C-alpha cells in the first residue's frame, strides 16, 4: 500500500526534475550565445570603422602630416587617433593590383595612439585641434545586466515560446515539443449533444451498440453470470452512412467521456511517434474510465502488415503493433470501449480483427425505405415544412441515398426556399434539391444545336421506352435534355417502386438492354452514333462482366468465380484472377451478351417507332418530362394531368422552376444497383459520368 501511495509523488518528482534540467539547459545555451555575441560585437566594433571611407596609416605618417599642416583635427578614443585631414589634402591608396586611387574629400584617417612626448607639442605648434570625447562610466552591475543578464533572459523566453509553439503543433526536433503526445479530442456527453434519437435508419447497428451502453451503465448485471465487456466494435459501411455519428451517439447515451482521433493522427515522420501517441491515448483514457475511444479511418494504421520481404519497421507498422498490444493489455472491467470506423475492412490486419480486440463487426449500411423516411424525419425536425410536403413520397424517390445525402438535400431545400422568399420548405424544394445534390444544377448558358438536341432527345427516350416495354425494370421517373453541371447533356431517371435485394439473370439483361437503348435509338431514328453513349457502354459492359465473372450466370463457366471484389464499400471494383485463356474467353462471352442485348434493344425500338417519335417530340417541346407523362402518351392519355412524387398537376413541375434543377440518381437508363452479400449497392450517376453513392 505504501509503495502504491508513493508512486504519484515519485512521478511528480521525476517530472519536476526533468523540467528543471530542461530549464538549466536553456539558460546554459542562452548564456553561451550571449557571451559569444558580446565578444563578436566588441571585436567588430574595434576592427570595423564606422565611416564609409576610413583608412589606416602609420603613426610616423600621421606625424609627418601634422608637420606638413595637412591635419585639421584629431580625436583620441579607445586607443585610436581619428584624423580629419585639412582641406585640399589628397590621400592616395594602392589596391592589391598596384593601382592607385585618390581620395580628395569625405574621408578620414586613423592610427594607433602611441606614447610619444612630442605629439602634443607638435599638435599645438601647428594649430591642430585635438580632444577626447567624454563618456560617463556605467556601473559595473548595469553593464552586466544590459550586456549579459538581459540577453540571457530574452533568449530563454524566446526558446520557451518556440518549444511551446512546437508542442501545440505536435512536432519538434527529435521529440522536442511533446511530439509524442496524443492529439485526441475529448468530448463529454454534454458537448457532443448526440444521442440515438439523432440517428435514424440504422436500427440493427443501434441494437448492437445498445448492449455496450447497457454494460457501461450496469456492469454487475453481466459480470454476475461471468460475461465480459466487449473490448471493441468495428463500424463498417459506405461513406456517409453515419459511422462517426453512431460513435458519438454511443458516448452521448452512455454519458461517458469520448476520445476521438483519426487514424492518420497517429502517423508522423518520426519512427516511434505513432506508438507513443497510442500509449498516451490509452493512458489518458484509463484515468477517466469508463470511457469510449473512437478511431476514425482506422485503415490508415491498421493495414495488413507486409511479410513478403521479411516484415518491416516503418512508422505505421510500429503504431499498429502498439495498438494491438494496448488492446490486449487494458483491463476490460474498467469500461474502456474502443470503437473504430472504416470503409475498407478488407485491408485491415487479421490480428486487429480477431475476437479479443474488435469483438464485434457492425455493418452500417445504406438505409432502406423505412430508414430513409426516419432519416428525413430527423433532418427535418428543425426545418419549417409546408403542408404539401410528403416525406413518404420523398423517401421513395431517394432510393440509394445515404444519411449524408439526405441531410445535404434537406439543407439545400431550405436554402432554396430562402432564395425564393418563402417561409417554409415545400415538396418542390425537396425534389429539386434532391436532384441538385445528386447531379448538379442546370447549365442555362449552354447552347446546343437543333440537330444535337434531337439526337439527345431520341437517346434519352430510347432508354425510357425500352425500360417501359420490358419486365423486371425500374420505372422511368424523369427524362430531361437540359445540360447540367456534372457534364450531362441529358438524363433518364429510373427509380425502383420497392426495395430490391436480389437481381435475377433476366433483371441484369433487361438493364443492359436499357443502357444500350440510347445508342440504339440514335441508330434507329437519326442513323448515327455519338459519344453520348460512352458511359452507357461502360456500365453495360460492367454488368455483363459481372454476370459472367461474378454471378455464375453464364453456361460456359457455370458457377466459377473469375474475379475478386475490391473496395466493397467504395467503388466496388474487382480484379480478375484467372488464367489468360479464361480471361480471353470471358471477354468473348461479354461481347456476345452485349451484341445480343444491343440487337434486342434495337428491335424493341423498331417495333415501337411511333411511340418513340411521339415521346421524343413531346420531350423536345417541354425539354423535361416525368415518367408519368411518358406513360400517359404511351397509353393515349393527357400527359398534363399526372402527379410527380407528391406534386399535383396544378403545381409546376420541378424541372420547370427557375431555381437550379438537376439530374438525380440514375442516368440515361442507368441500371439497378448490383447486389452484394450485404444487400444492393445502388448507383446514382449522371448521364456521361455516373457517380456511385
Amino acid at each position: 500500500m505504501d509503495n502504491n501511495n508513493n508512486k504519484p509523488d515519485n512521478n511528480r518528482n521525476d517530472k519536476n526534475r526533468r523540467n528543471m534540467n530542461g530549464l538549466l539547459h536553456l539558460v546554459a545555451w542562452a548564456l553561451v550565445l550571449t557571451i559569444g555575441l558580446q565578444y563578436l560585437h566588441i571585436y567588430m566594433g574595434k576592427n570595423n570603422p564606422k565611416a564609409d571611407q576610413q583608412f589606416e596609416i602609420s603613426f610616423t605618417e600621421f606625424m609627418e602630416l601634422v608637420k606638413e599642416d595637412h591635419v585639421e583635427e584629431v580625436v583620441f578614443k579607445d586607443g585610436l587617433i581619428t584624423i580629419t585631414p585639412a582641406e585640399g589634402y589628397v590621400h592616395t591608396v594602392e589596391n592589391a593590383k598596384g593601382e592607385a586611387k585618390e581620395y580628395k574629400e569625405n574621408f578620414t584617417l586613423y592610427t594607433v595612439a602611441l606614447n610619444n612626448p612630442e605629439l602634443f607639442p607638435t599638435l599645438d605648434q601647428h594649430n591642430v585641434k585635438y580632444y577626447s570625447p567624454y563618456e560617463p562610466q556605467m556601473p559595473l552591475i548595469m553593464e552586466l545586466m544590459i550586456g549579459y543578464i538581459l540577453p540571457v533572459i530574452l533568449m530563454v523566453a524566446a526558446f520557451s515560446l518556440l518549444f511551446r509553439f512546437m508542442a501545440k503543433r505536435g512536432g519538434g526536433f527529435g521529440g522536442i515539443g511533446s511530439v509524442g503526445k496524443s492529439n485526441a479530442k475529448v468530448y463529454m456527453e454534454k458537448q457532443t449533444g448526440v444521442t440515438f434519437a439523432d440517428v435514424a435508419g440504422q436500427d440493427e447497428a443501434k441494437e448492437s451498440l445498445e448492449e455496450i451502453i447497457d454494460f457501461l451503465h450496469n456492469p454487475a448485471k453481466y459480470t454476475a453470470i461471468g460475461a465480459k465487456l466487449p473490448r471493441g466494435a468495428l463500424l463498417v459501411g459506405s461513406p456517409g452512412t453515419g459511422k462517426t455519428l453512431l460513435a458519438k451517439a454511443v458516448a452521448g447515451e452512455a454519458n461517458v467521456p469520448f476520445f476521438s482521433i483519426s487514424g492518420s493522427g497517429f502517423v508522423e515522420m518520426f519512427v516511434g511517434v505513432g506508438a507513443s501517441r497510442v500509449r498516451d491515448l490509452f493512458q489518458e483514457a484509463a484515468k477517466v474510465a469508463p470511457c469510449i475511444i473512437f478511431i476514425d479511418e482506422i485503415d490508415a494504421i491498421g493495414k495488413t502488415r507486409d511479410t513478403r520481404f521479411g516484415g518491416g519497421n516503418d512508422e505505421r507498422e510500429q503504431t499498429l503493433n502498439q495498438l494491438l498490444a494496448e488492446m490486449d493489455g487494458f483491463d476490460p472491467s474498467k469500461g474502456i470501449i474502443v470503437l473504430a470506423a472504416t470503409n475498407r475492412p478488407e485491408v485491415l490486419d487479421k490480428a486487429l480483427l480477431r475476437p479479443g480486440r474488435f469483438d464485434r463487426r457492425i455493418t452500417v449500411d445504406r438505409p432502406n425505405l423505412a430508414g430513409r423516411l426516419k432519416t428525413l424525419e430527423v433532418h427535418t425536425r428543425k426545418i419549417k415544412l409546408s403542408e404539401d410536403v410528403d416525406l413518404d413520397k420523398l423517401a421513395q424517390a431517394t432510393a440509394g441515398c445515404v444519411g449524408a445525402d439526405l441531410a445535404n438535400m434537406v439543407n439545400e431545400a431550405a436554402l432554396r426556399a430562402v432564395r425564393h422568399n418563402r417561409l417554409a420548405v415545400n415538396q418542390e424544394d425537396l425534389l429539386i434539391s434532391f436532384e441538385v445534390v445528386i447531379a448538379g444544377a442546370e447549365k442555362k448558358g449552354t447552347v446546343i444545336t437543333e440537330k444535337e438536341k434531337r439526337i439527345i432527345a431520341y437517346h434519352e427516350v430510347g432508354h425510357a421506352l425500352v425500360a417501359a416495354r420490358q419486365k423486371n425494370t425500374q420505372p422511368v421517373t424523369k427524362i430531361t435534355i437540359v445540360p447540367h453541371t456534372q457534364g450531362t447533356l441529358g438524363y433518364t431517371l429510373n427509380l425502383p417502386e420497392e426495395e430490391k435485394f436480389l437481381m435475377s439473370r433476366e433483371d441484369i439483361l433487361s438493364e443492359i438492354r436499357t443502357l444500350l437503348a440510347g445508342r440504339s435509338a440514335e441508330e434507329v431514328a437519326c442513323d448515327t452514333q455519338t459519344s453520348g453513349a460512352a458511359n452507357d457502354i461502360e456500365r453495360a459492359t460492367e454488368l455483363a462482366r459481372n454476370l459472367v465473372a461474378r454471378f455464375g450466370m453464364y453456361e460456359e463457366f457455370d458457377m466459377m468465380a473469375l474475379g475478386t471484389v475490391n473496395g466493397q464499400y467504395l467503388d466496388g471494383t474487382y480484379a480478375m484472377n484467372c488464367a489468360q485463356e479464361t480471361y480471353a474467353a470471358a471477354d468473348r462471352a461479354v461481347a456476345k451478351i452485349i451484341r445480343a442485348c444491343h440487337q434486342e434493344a434495337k428491335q424493341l425500338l423498331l417495333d415501337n417507332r411511333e411511340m418513340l417519335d411521339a415521346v421524343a417530340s413531346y420531350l423536345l417541346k417541354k425539354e423535361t418530362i416525368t415518367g408519368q407523362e411518358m406513360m400517359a402518351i404511351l397509353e393515349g392519355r393527357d400527359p398534363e394531368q399526372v402527379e410527380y412524387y407528391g406534386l399535383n398537376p396544378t403545381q409546376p413541375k420541378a424541372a420547370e422552376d427557375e431555381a437550379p434543377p438537376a439530374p438525380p440518381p440514375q442516368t440515361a437508363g442507368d441500371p439497378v444497383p448490383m447486389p452484394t452479400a450485404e444487400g444492393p449497392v445502388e448507383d446514382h450517376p449522371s448521364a456521361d459520368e455516373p457517380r456511385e453513392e
Side-chain angles (χ1 to χ4, degrees), residues 375-422:
T375 303
L376 286 170
E377 290 173 351
V378 168
H379 292 307
T380 55
R381 282 185 308 196
K382 298 181 180 180
I383 302 294
K384 294 181 180 179
L385 302 177
S386 62
E387 295 180 356
D388 69 329
V389 171
D390 188 345
L391 295 183
D392 289 321
K393 294 283 187 180
L394 197 62
Q396 181 183 354
T398 53
C401 290
V402 296
D405 294 328
L406 299 176
N408 194 15
M409 181 192 71
V410 171
N411 186 62
E412 285 291 334
L415 295 176
R416 183 178 184 275
V418 173
R419 285 198 301 269
H420 288 73
N421 298 317
R422 286 195 295 271

Side-chain angles (χ1 to χ4, degrees), residues 633-653:
I633 295 174
L634 298 181
E635 296 170 2
R637 295 184 286 111
D638 183 3
E640 300 291 339
Q641 301 298 318
V642 294
E643 183 190 81
Y644 177 66
Y645 284 103
L647 291 178
N648 59 51
T650 60
Q651 294 175 298
K653 300 295 186 296

Side-chain angles (χ1 to χ4, degrees), residues 26 155-183 268-270 273 277:
L26 285 179
M155 287 189 181
V156 169
F159 279 126
S160 299
L161 290 175
L162 176 62
F163 291 154
R164 184 172 299 180
F165 171 76
M166 290 190 297
K168 289 182 178 179
R169 294 294 297 271
F173 303 102
I176 296 176
S178 301
V179 69
K181 289 292 184 181
S182 170
N183 289 336
E268 286 285 349
M269 64 178 291
F270 303 106
V273 171
R277 286 183 172 170

Side-chain angles (χ1 to χ4, degrees), residues 162-448:
L162 176 62
F163 291 154
R164 184 172 299 180
F165 171 76
M166 290 190 297
K168 289 182 178 179
R169 294 294 297 271
F173 303 102
I176 296 176
S178 301
V179 69
K181 289 292 184 181
S182 170
N183 289 336
K185 296 180 180 179
V186 181
Y187 296 92
M188 305 302 288
E189 185 268 340
K190 292 182 180 179
Q191 293 175 323
T192 59
V194 180
T195 64
F196 279 156
D198 301 307
V199 183
Q202 301 295 341
D203 295 336
E204 296 80 7
K206 288 196 291 186
E207 183 178 348
S208 299
L209 294 170
E210 279 173 353
E211 188 177 13
I212 295 177
I213 296 170
D214 189 44
F215 202 121
L216 291 173
H217 284 161
N218 306 296
K221 182 170 65 174
Y222 295 88
T223 56
I225 62 172
K228 294 182 179 179
L229 179 68
R231 290 178 181 266
L234 182 66
L235 304 176
V236 178
S238 303
T241 50
K243 299 183 291 295
T244 303
L245 185 67
L246 267 174
K248 289 185 178 182
V250 172
E253 292 284 345
N255 194 19
V256 295
F258 180 60
F259 290 80
S260 174
I261 189 170
S262 173
S264 59
F266 290 109
V267 182
E268 286 285 349
M269 64 178 291
F270 303 106
V271 176
V273 171
S276 175
R277 286 183 172 170
V278 172
R279 288 191 297 270
D280 182 67
L281 177 61
F282 277 86
Q283 288 173 3
E284 294 296 323
K287 294 177 183 178
V288 295
C291 65
I292 291 174
I293 297 175
F294 176 62
I295 305 175
D296 198 8
E297 305 297 345
I298 194 173
D299 50 274
I301 59 170
K303 289 183 181 178
T304 300
R305 287 165 287 186
D306 187 4
T307 58
R308 290 178 297 171
F309 304 104
N313 194 35
D314 63 352
E315 167 67 354
R316 182 187 57 79
E317 189 165 315
Q318 287 197 17
T319 304
L320 174 59
N321 291 336
Q322 186 63 43
L323 179 61
L324 297 176
E326 291 291 343
M327 293 190 69
D328 267 342
F330 67 82
D331 184 3
S333 63
K334 291 183 178 179
I336 300 178
I337 303 293
V338 180
L339 299 179
T342 183
N343 43 42
R344 302 178 63 197
E346 68 278 357
V347 304
L348 295 180
D349 195 276
K350 300 300 181 184
L352 188 64
L353 298 177
R354 73 160 177 82
R357 291 193 174 112
F358 286 109
D359 299 289
R360 295 188 177 183
R361 176 167 170 169
I362 300 172
T363 300
V364 187
D365 211 344
R366 297 173 182 272
N368 55 21
L369 178 60
R372 292 195 299 275
L373 177 58
K374 293 179 181 178
T375 303
L376 286 170
E377 290 173 351
V378 168
H379 292 307
T380 55
R381 282 185 308 196
K382 298 181 180 180
I383 302 294
K384 294 181 180 179
L385 302 177
S386 62
E387 295 180 356
D388 69 329
V389 171
D390 188 345
L391 295 183
D392 289 321
K393 294 283 187 180
L394 197 62
Q396 181 183 354
T398 53
C401 290
V402 296
D405 294 328
L406 299 176
N408 194 15
M409 181 192 71
V410 171
N411 186 62
E412 285 291 334
L415 295 176
R416 183 178 184 275
V418 173
R419 285 198 301 269
H420 288 73
N421 298 317
R422 286 195 295 271
L423 299 179
V425 175
N426 59 27
Q427 185 81 351
E428 185 183 8
D429 293 328
L430 291 167
L431 288 171
I432 292 179
S433 298
F434 161 63
E435 298 179 359
V436 171
V437 168
I438 295 301
E442 284 187 0
K443 295 173 66 175
K444 297 182 181 296
T446 303
V447 178
I448 300 178

